[in-house]
Amino acid sequence: MAKRASMADVAARAGVSAQTVSRVVNGSPRVDPATRARVETAMADSGYRVHRAARALRTGRSGTLGAIVSTLATVGNSLLLEAVTEAAARRGYDIALVTIGDSLAQALDRLRDQGVDGVVVVNEASTLAHAAELPADLRFAVVDSPFDDRYVGVETDHVGGARAATEHLLALGHRTVVHIAGPASSYAASERERGWREALSSAGRVVGDVVRGAWTSSSGYDAARALLEADAIGSAVFVANDQMALGALRALAEHGLHVPEDVSVVGFDDVADAANYRPPLTTVRQHFDRLGETAVAMLVDGADAGHSRLVVPATLVERASTAVFRPV
């Protein structure tokens, strides 16, 4: 049988000390990024595998982080979970994934049974975490949640991104902007709605009622149909995510309206397919990689709960679904 690669083998291959390899294996922040990358390459090339049971006995850590998500059906949740998993892997951690199911408490019990070293709570699940009694023996990093001194937090600048989207449409000459919002229970949706309202109010424009969807393309289609039937679509629509924007584009086309000639549309997220919508979608880009990396780093590096919160900027990406409005 082939000899199993040892930590010393990895150290020799990477040209570092065994202590440096140990730090990389155990997710220590006290390693230069270039050195960490060299050690990780040496581990992969040599076939080195971490003995997790031994590491847990030695360090008191399982090498596993928990992730709680409400659903995997939305693209935003899936992209963020992918970013969390990749960030954890770079630090030598596995991810134990649970969906909320019947209750947050049951999800936490399942993770505690697996001895996770900390928990990342993703998107809609964050609302439940904010309202729940959290176990004191677990560390939490929550993505997109109101401030809470029980855990560390990271979020996209939803307000700033929504404001930029709305101001972009106003700058094109649209008198006001209609909003297809996300679920009322979603923190991200409420923050995007707030940014939309602030932009319109600051410009002295009419702030109308919102129509809500459920993050899915079918709900965006239904919301746009409702606006069209009420003759309330106007000339510009800001949609709270790209999936709902896709449904809205279909509804507009079926109604005989052209985008962007008749109606300009902006989404939020900048999913991979947004550039291939018809027409390509102007949208607000969320930097999911930075969100995932930050959440994992806060857990592994031991950021102080209640004192650590990071807001990741959002970026407007202009494409063909918006154009200068020329009133008839």
Side-chain angles (χ1 to χ4, degrees):
M1 295 179 63
K3 177 178 177 291
R4 179 173 176 169
S6 67
M7 197 172 288
D9 296 329
V10 175
R13 183 183 287 265
V16 300
S17 67
Q19 185 179 28
T20 298
V21 176
S22 177
R23 287 174 179 157
V24 172
V25 168
N26 292 308
S28 170
R30 296 186 299 158
V31 182
D32 176 78
T35 301
R36 183 187 301 277
R38 194 163 72 249
V39 170
E40 290 173 345
T41 298
M43 291 168 65
D45 291 346
S46 64
Y48 178 79
R49 294 291 181 270
V50 177
H51 195 297
R52 295 195 177 277
R55 183 172 75 173
L57 289 172
R58 183 175 67 255
T59 66
R61 294 185 174 187
S62 67
T64 302
L65 300 177
I68 296 180
V69 64
S70 58
T71 177
L72 293 173
T74 63
V75 175
N77 280 0
S78 297
L79 290 173
L80 184 51
L81 183 61
E82 179 183 30
V84 167
T85 301
E86 291 177 351
R90 286 193 293 272
R91 289 173 171 264
Y93 281 80
D94 290 330
I95 290 291
L97 172 65
V98 296
T99 55
I100 289 177
D102 294 332
S103 74
L104 177 65
Q106 290 181 6
L108 289 173
D109 284 343
R110 293 199 297 274
L111 291 176
R112 294 174 78 183
D113 288 344
Q114 297 181 62
V116 298
D117 297 323
V119 179
V120 179
V121 184
V122 173
N123 292 353
E124 278 67 41
S126 68
T127 303
L128 295 177
H130 182 64
E133 182 177 344
L134 300 177
D137 59 339
L138 276 179
R139 289 181 51 78
F140 290 85
V142 181
V143 181
D144 286 343
S145 167
F147 175 80
D148 194 311
D149 61 9
R150 297 172 299 167
Y151 47 71
V152 296
V154 58
E155 66 179 89
T156 291
D157 184 6
H158 301 287
V159 173
R163 188 186 298 116
T166 306
E167 290 173 347
H168 168 66
L169 289 166
L170 294 178
L172 293 174
H174 299 279
R175 295 188 181 91
T176 192
V177 179
V178 171
H179 184 38
I180 297 177
S185 60
S186 166
Y187 173 77
S190 65
E191 290 291 274
R192 293 172 198 178
E193 181 180 339
R194 180 159 71 93
W196 165 74
R197 290 184 181 277
E198 288 181 359
L200 290 180
S201 296
S202 296
R205 306 302 174 86
V206 175
V207 182
D209 295 333
V210 302
V211 178
R212 297 194 182 280
W215 297 133
T216 63
S217 58
S218 60
S219 70
Y221 174 80
D222 291 340
R225 283 285 303 271
L227 288 167
L228 288 163
E229 289 169 3
D231 196 24
I233 202 73
S235 66
V237 184
F238 166 49
V239 190
N241 79 335
D242 292 348
Q243 280 181 280
M244 292 196 298
L246 178 61
L249 290 174
R250 175 191 163 199
L252 291 167
E254 289 181 355
H255 202 73
L257 296 173
H258 297 88
V259 176
E261 293 84 355
D262 299 317
V263 181
S264 288
V265 178
V266 178
F268 203 109
D269 284 340
D270 193 28
V271 300
D273 291 335
N276 294 316
Y277 285 9
R278 187 175 182 181
L281 184 66
T282 295
T283 186
V284 179
R285 177 176 296 161
Q286 284 206 81
H287 298 277
F288 292 104
D289 54 344
R290 287 186 60 188
L291 292 169
E293 177 63 38
T294 302
V296 169
M298 284 176 160
L299 281 183
V300 174
D301 298 344
D304 292 334
H307 299 282
S308 298
R309 188 173 185 83
L310 181 69
V311 178
V312 177
T315 308
L316 181 69
V317 180
E318 297 182 35
R319 297 194 180 99
S321 68
T322 54
V324 173
F325 178 56
R326 298 181 177 85
V328 177

